[in-house]
Amino acid sequence: MSENMDPQWTSEKLIAEALSKLSFKEREEAYEDVHGVSDLVRETPELIEFSLGQMDHQLKILLDKYAYDLAESLSKDYVTDRGLRLKFLRAAIFDPKRAASRMAEYFHHKLDMFGREKLVKDITFEDLGEDGMEAVSQGMMHQVLPSRDTQGRAVVVGSQRLFLAQVDKFKDPVKTLIKAYWYVAKSVADDEETQKKGFVFVSYANDSNHPSDAVRRELLKLCGTVSRGLPVRSIAVHYCSDSSRTAAFYRAIITGTDSSVRVRTRAHSGSHNEIKYRLMSFGIPISDFPFLERGEVKKTNHLKWIERRKQKEEYLKTNPLPKNAVDIPSRADVLLGRGTPFNTHPGNKRLHEMVAEHYDEYDREMRVGKTKLAERIVSMVHEYGGKFRKLDDQYGVWIEVPHLDARNKVAHGFRRKREVVVRGTKKVKMVIGEIGEVYGADYKRLRVAHEAGNGIESCIRFF
């Protein structure tokens, strides 16, 4: 392919060709997955029990499953664990045959990467070995964003830049990369909402991180193969580049993917800011994007994610997690804490709007009425699917707080709103006083406007 060929055009052509071979229904499903508007499977107890039974049957008749059979001989409880199998069913959209095949593939790759002694063990950060831990810690290939996209899906972003810059320091760079990718994706699968909705993958390549053909071919082959055996599905993929030099890389990736993945892929080329705005149009939270314009990679959120993973893995050695604990809060959740990350979280912003909407009612009520109003707003948050959460340092996850803490969070919001209103009122009175000294008789008109509830801007219009 010519280096002058537009990578955006060639990539879109490949995607369009794949889409043209689908039925109308299949094209609609692919479009809905990419844009996050697809319907979730309604998980009834009857569906789950029936699907688990069918999956068990498919595993028994599956032929190529040496690693699975070995795992079953080592610990039948581990391979028949209901929670583990349910992950694969969700990843396969409750297709028992595909779920069984995916689970067999999972154990195959796990055996290849970690050996027999860890086949029936939940892999932890320490199990990655020195090279694997270094690769994950550096955010060399994959980072999990701290926020979900606008449709509530987890977002994993990746770049080869740091990895390729330090590739010579690893004994087996390709295997190190695959283990790091597998660990991050497997970790994302711990979250129930992500199991149901899948995750969005964003790959960002710039002019400084174009890999060699040999490394590229091996990475593409292994990443694609390993992805088919993960207990979570990548529901949409975005390949981004700010350089025409990665045109061949685009084409190689898209050409080498399965058609079901290809139709859920989008390619974006242009400047760094152009790419960010295109991703934003797909609901990606670009405020958390870790890649900077000059190719630098931010690791602050990623390092926090690693520490939480380690806390969680340590705690799970002896204890189960609290009920309703999550790794990534939903956009409807209200987070307890201070600072910009909390104030700008969608669930917190929505709560602030509710507080502002009901402030006049709160201001009129006595103490008992104020408490009842706070209770009502807590119930409203629960009704639209939100929960009040805080990050627990012991567990490394977001846990749901007691009802009293949730009510106090709402009450605190009303008190903060009152402080803002009082400060604003004092400022208006001060300005009115200063203007009144100058305009004399018109001061009375100004006070009437203010007491009628008009803001300072409306008041000043008198003059």
Side-chain angles (χ1 to χ4, degrees):
M1 181 173 62
S2 169
E3 287 192 7
N4 295 324
M5 190 175 292
D6 184 0
Q8 187 82 6
W9 180 84
T10 56
S11 299
E12 289 183 352
K13 184 172 183 291
L14 285 167
I15 296 167
E17 288 176 351
L19 283 167
S20 67
K21 298 176 182 178
L22 300 179
S23 67
F24 176 78
K25 182 180 179 182
E26 289 171 331
R27 285 197 298 272
E28 284 292 297
E29 289 175 349
Y31 178 86
E32 289 173 354
D33 283 345
V34 171
H35 290 273
V37 294
S38 53
D39 294 329
L40 297 179
V41 174
R42 185 169 174 269
E43 295 186 9
T44 63
E46 294 78 15
L47 174 65
I48 292 174
E49 291 305 320
F50 174 78
S51 300
L52 286 171
Q54 289 296 305
M55 180 181 175
D56 186 63
H57 172 69
Q58 291 295 331
L59 283 166
K60 288 177 180 177
I61 64 175
L62 192 65
L63 298 177
D64 187 14
K65 56 183 177 75
Y66 166 76
Y68 173 85
D69 289 338
L70 176 59
E72 189 175 35
S73 69
L74 294 172
S75 175
K76 188 168 184 176
D77 288 343
Y78 187 87
V79 299
T80 58
D81 179 76
R82 178 188 177 90
L84 179 62
R85 290 195 171 187
L86 190 53
K87 289 180 182 180
F88 289 100
L89 277 171
R90 286 168 172 159
I93 318 178
F94 280 82
D95 183 325
K97 186 175 181 178
R98 287 171 51 205
S101 178
R102 185 179 279 263
M103 189 173 189
E105 191 85 3
Y106 168 82
F107 280 107
H108 169 76
H109 295 302
K110 191 175 181 182
L111 177 63
D112 181 58
M113 289 185 287
F114 300 101
R116 177 190 176 108
E117 65 277 5
K118 295 176 182 175
L119 189 59
V120 290
K121 174 185 181 298
D122 288 336
I123 301 301
T124 66
F125 182 73
E126 295 178 350
D127 292 324
L128 295 173
E130 289 186 12
D131 284 358
M133 288 190 291
E134 175 69 12
V136 173
S137 297
Q138 290 297 324
M140 288 181 175
M141 278 298 294
H142 305 97
Q143 297 188 25
V144 181
L145 297 191
S147 302
R148 298 180 185 273
D149 72 358
T150 53
Q151 300 304 320
R153 302 174 297 185
V155 181
V156 177
V157 297
S159 172
Q160 302 87 18
R161 185 179 190 278
L162 285 178
F163 177 80
L164 293 168
Q166 305 181 52
V167 70
D168 294 336
K169 71 186 293 186
F170 300 113
K171 298 175 183 177
D172 189 339
V174 172
K175 189 169 184 178
T176 297
L177 167 64
I178 295 301
K179 287 172 73 172
Y181 167 65
W182 187 92
Y183 173 78
V184 172
K186 186 272 303 180
S187 300
V188 168
D190 288 349
D191 183 84
E192 185 173 318
E193 187 171 1
T194 303
Q195 294 170 26
K196 294 177 179 179
K197 294 183 176 180
F199 70 91
V200 177
F201 180 67
V202 179
S203 179
Y204 186 88
N206 62 19
D207 190 56
S208 63
N209 62 35
H210 188 66
S212 68
D213 286 342
V215 172
R216 180 181 64 205
R217 281 195 297 269
E218 195 167 0
L219 287 180
L220 289 175
K221 180 180 178 181
L222 289 175
C223 280
T225 303
V226 168
S227 294
R228 290 192 291 270
L230 289 170
V232 64
R233 72 188 187 279
S234 175
I235 200 165
V237 180
H238 297 269
Y239 290 117
C240 311
S241 174
D242 60 5
S243 168
S244 59
R245 288 181 60 190
T246 57
F249 191 36
Y250 268 127
R251 190 177 182 88
I253 292 176
I254 296 172
T255 303
T257 57
D258 181 85
S259 60
S260 64
V261 177
R262 191 182 306 174
V263 296
R264 289 166 173 78
T265 299
R266 295 295 181 270
H268 312 287
S269 61
S271 69
H272 180 75
N273 285 332
E274 287 173 336
I275 289 171
K276 288 175 67 175
Y277 283 117
R278 285 173 184 159
L279 291 174
M280 186 170 63
S281 71
F282 286 88
I284 306 296
I286 61 172
S287 59
D288 296 322
F289 205 59
F291 306 122
L292 304 179
E293 189 167 4
R294 296 182 179 180
E296 296 91 345
V297 180
K298 295 187 294 185
K299 296 187 292 184
T300 304
N301 289 328
H302 180 62
L303 293 176
K304 290 179 181 178
W305 178 82
I306 291 174
E307 285 305 310
R308 291 198 299 269
R309 285 297 309 172
K310 290 161 70 173
Q311 290 168 353
K312 179 179 178 180
E313 289 166 358
E314 184 63 30
Y315 185 82
L316 283 173
K317 289 179 181 178
T318 55
N319 306 278
L321 285 176
K323 186 180 180 182
N324 294 325
V326 298
D327 292 319
I328 308 174
S330 81
R331 294 176 63 84
D333 290 340
V334 176
L335 309 184
L336 275 64
R338 296 181 179 179
T340 300
F342 295 92
N343 293 332
T344 58
H345 181 73
N348 290 54
K349 291 169 72 174
R350 188 170 181 177
L351 176 63
H352 295 160
E353 292 170 358
M354 294 167 66
V355 165
E357 182 181 346
H358 291 84
Y359 174 74
D360 288 343
E361 179 183 353
Y362 176 86
D363 196 43
R364 291 193 302 267
E365 293 285 356
M366 301 301 288
R367 183 173 181 179
V368 174
K370 285 177 166 58
T371 300
K372 289 182 178 180
L373 178 58
E375 292 269 6
R376 197 165 84 233
I377 289 183
V378 170
S379 297
M380 291 167 64
V381 171
H382 290 158
E383 285 171 7
Y384 64 68
K387 299 186 187 316
F388 290 78
R389 297 187 182 278
K390 71 174 182 179
L391 183 61
D392 192 288
D393 294 333
Q394 181 182 9
Y395 311 127
V397 293
W398 293 88
I399 62 172
E400 189 172 2
V401 301
H403 181 80
L404 179 60
D405 290 350
R407 193 185 72 193
N408 288 340
K409 172 69 175 177
V410 175
H412 178 71
F414 277 119
R415 291 193 295 272
R416 290 292 302 274
K417 177 66 177 176
R418 182 166 56 191
E419 290 173 4
V420 172
V421 171
V422 169
R423 284 200 300 270
T425 302
K426 288 180 178 179
K427 183 177 179 180
V428 170
K429 288 182 177 179
M430 180 183 70
V431 173
I432 289 175
E434 292 175 353
I435 294 176
E437 291 177 2
V438 176
Y439 289 93
D442 283 332
Y443 172 61
K444 292 183 179 180
R445 293 169 57 202
L446 200 59
R447 283 193 60 84
V448 170
H450 172 58
E451 290 170 0
N454 295 325
I456 185 170
E457 294 85 358
S458 299
C459 297
I460 293 176
R461 289 196 192 103
F462 281 112
F463 302 91

